[in-house]
Amino acid sequence: MSSPTLLDTPPAASNAAIWRHIFAGLSASLIGIGLARFAYTPLIPSLIQAHWFSASDVVYLGAANLAGYLIGALIGRPLGSRVSNVHTLRGMKVLITLAFLACAFPVSVGWFFAWRLLSGVAGGVIMVLVAATVLPHVPGDRKGLASGAVFLGLGLGIAASGTIVPLLLELGLRAAWIGLAVVSAVLTAASWTGWPTKDAPTAKPAEVNASGAAAVTSGVETTALYVEYALMAIGLVPTMVFLVDFIARGLGAGAHLGSLFWILYGVGAIFGPPVYGVFADRLGSRSALRVLVLVQAIAVAGLAVSSSHVVIGLLTVVIGTFPPGIVPLMLARVHETAPGNAARQNVIWSRVTTAFAAFQALAGYSYSAIFNGSGGNHRLLFVIGAAALAITLGVDFIAPLFSRQSRGQGAQADAR
């Protein structure tokens, strides 16, 4: 059974069925990424203070989810092809629920690591399959709405982790993990029948490339996308993993205020996809990417030098827009790189996602080592993250120059 592309022609579906599909996709991204990954961040100070694990172990356990995400990104499509996308997505949501429940019992570092890793695997599988499962069953005039809702699940999950986790922590650390399991179970049950009854058929290249001609794509430009998305992963990890701990312990403000800042991060995450989409529509995806990456680099660098809670709060909102916002923005860049060629777009997007997952996992462990080796220096991590984003901007400016040079050499060779 082949995995569907995002540009398949949808079968007929009722309005109610379409909204059920959208809700199923939103809940999957909310559970798989919004909660499974981001709910861990506001729990870090409590895990350390409760002496469940040492500070160094807690940081490495957080990176386990990122490593699992890479595994999930690699096995998602083969797994969906073997047992169907719908059954795979249901299974991943159940797995995440079990992982939350298992983490309520700190049997050992190995036990905790295994379940955090599995939750990351499930999140990676969900990210690869969810849009390809839902969007083919949505009419063309609603694909934008459906895609936005799926990406919105990330922001809602982040915001929920910043509001639900502090409330649950008042009942105890174990209660917080059990509470997350309950939330995940409720969303899994509520969306169980919302998925399409079957995977959509894969569109043939001739059907999605109506012009009959393959788009000319520069290898330099395509490689640049892989490099840029990998650098973005490196740039967003410090704030994604260490922000709450920076507020709570680095600035000495306590876990409660740290959680409030995580809510601000979640507010930014909710607005990220639509705001980035407007920028892409108005400026074009390349110009929008440059502007937004520059803003992010400045914002992350600002965390490295500021101690004002007000300034850091404003920067946190801006930074929160980035993780979910770059997903539709990079997807638009992929479409511009291979216009009208759906098969090529899916190949590039798969590789771009894998590059992001790989460097996100690598960055997670690297930052953990740097953090522990520097005696818990949060600001150093933010400087490195800002530098990675600045390099991203440089790559995007330089790549077109090499691309034009490559095409010029090709044209000269053809003339000879």
Side-chain angles (χ1 to χ4, degrees):
M1 185 183 298
S2 300
S3 297
T5 67
L6 300 186
L7 301 180
D8 291 338
T9 302
S14 68
N15 189 60
I18 291 170
W19 281 107
R20 287 197 301 272
H21 301 341
I22 292 173
F23 174 71
L26 184 150
S27 66
S29 65
L30 194 160
I31 294 170
I33 308 296
L35 292 180
R37 179 188 300 170
F38 290 100
Y40 186 81
T41 301
L43 285 168
I44 288 177
S46 296
L47 286 168
I48 296 172
Q49 292 166 6
H51 303 292
W52 277 24
F53 306 105
S54 67
S56 59
D57 284 339
V58 167
V59 173
Y60 280 112
L61 289 170
N65 184 268
L66 303 182
Y69 183 81
L70 170 59
I71 297 172
L74 292 172
I75 70 173
R77 292 180 68 85
L79 191 60
S81 297
R82 186 173 295 274
V83 300
S84 89
N85 286 3
V86 170
H87 287 133
T88 300
L89 288 165
R90 285 173 175 162
M92 293 303 102
K93 291 165 83 171
V94 171
L95 178 59
I96 290 171
T97 302
L98 293 175
F100 280 136
L101 187 60
C103 286
F105 304 93
V107 177
S108 66
V109 172
W111 166 272
F112 213 85
F113 180 92
W115 285 105
R116 289 299 298 159
L117 182 75
L118 288 173
S119 70
V121 171
V125 171
I126 287 173
M127 183 57 71
V128 169
L129 296 182
V130 64
T133 303
V134 173
L135 297 189
H137 296 268
V138 178
D141 60 348
R142 296 190 184 182
K143 285 188 184 293
L145 172 64
S147 179
V150 169
F151 295 134
L152 180 61
L154 306 181
L156 291 175
I158 296 170
S161 71
T163 52
I164 294 174
V165 169
L167 294 175
L168 292 173
L169 281 173
E170 294 182 3
L171 302 175
L173 189 52
R174 177 166 295 168
W177 285 108
I178 294 174
L180 289 171
V182 170
V183 172
S184 180
V186 169
L187 288 172
T188 299
S191 61
W192 192 265
T193 60
W195 296 106
T197 54
K198 61 181 179 179
D199 293 341
T202 302
K204 298 178 181 179
E207 293 174 344
V208 295
N209 190 1
S211 65
V216 178
T217 304
S218 165
V220 174
E221 294 263 7
T222 303
T223 301
L225 288 184
Y226 305 151
V227 174
E228 288 173 30
Y229 212 26
L231 287 167
M232 288 182 205
I234 296 172
L236 64 82
V237 166
T239 50
M240 184 178 72
V241 175
F242 295 97
L243 176 64
V244 173
D245 193 53
F246 170 61
I247 301 297
R249 297 196 305 137
L251 298 181
H256 178 69
L257 188 59
S259 296
L260 293 180
F261 273 80
W262 192 245
I263 295 175
L264 295 177
Y265 188 96
V267 170
I270 291 173
F271 286 99
V275 170
Y276 282 41
V278 169
F279 269 85
D281 290 340
R282 298 289 178 85
L283 303 178
S285 65
R286 181 185 291 278
S287 296
L289 184 71
R290 291 174 176 177
V291 170
L292 293 167
V293 168
L294 175 61
V295 170
Q296 284 297 315
I298 294 172
V300 176
L303 286 184
V305 299
S306 178
S307 297
S308 167
H309 290 176
V310 174
V311 172
I312 292 176
L314 293 174
L315 294 175
T316 297
V317 174
V318 174
I319 291 169
T321 65
F322 199 60
I326 58 171
V327 179
L329 187 56
M330 282 300 295
L331 187 58
R333 284 287 292 117
V334 168
H335 286 178
E336 286 189 5
T337 302
N341 190 334
R344 178 65 174 160
Q345 289 169 5
N346 279 283
V347 169
I348 296 174
W349 180 245
S350 176
R351 293 174 179 172
V352 162
T353 302
T354 301
F356 181 90
F359 278 84
Q360 184 178 238
L362 178 62
Y365 283 103
S366 298
Y367 282 121
S368 299
I370 294 170
F371 181 76
N372 293 324
S374 65
N377 190 338
H378 297 88
R379 295 183 189 274
L380 175 61
L381 306 185
F382 299 147
V383 169
I384 297 172
L389 293 171
I391 296 172
T392 303
L393 195 61
V395 171
D396 199 69
F397 274 102
I398 294 173
L401 301 179
F402 284 97
S403 179
R404 284 194 291 270
Q405 181 180 2
S406 176
R407 288 173 178 170
Q409 292 173 349
Q412 292 175 4
D414 291 341
R416 290 195 297 266

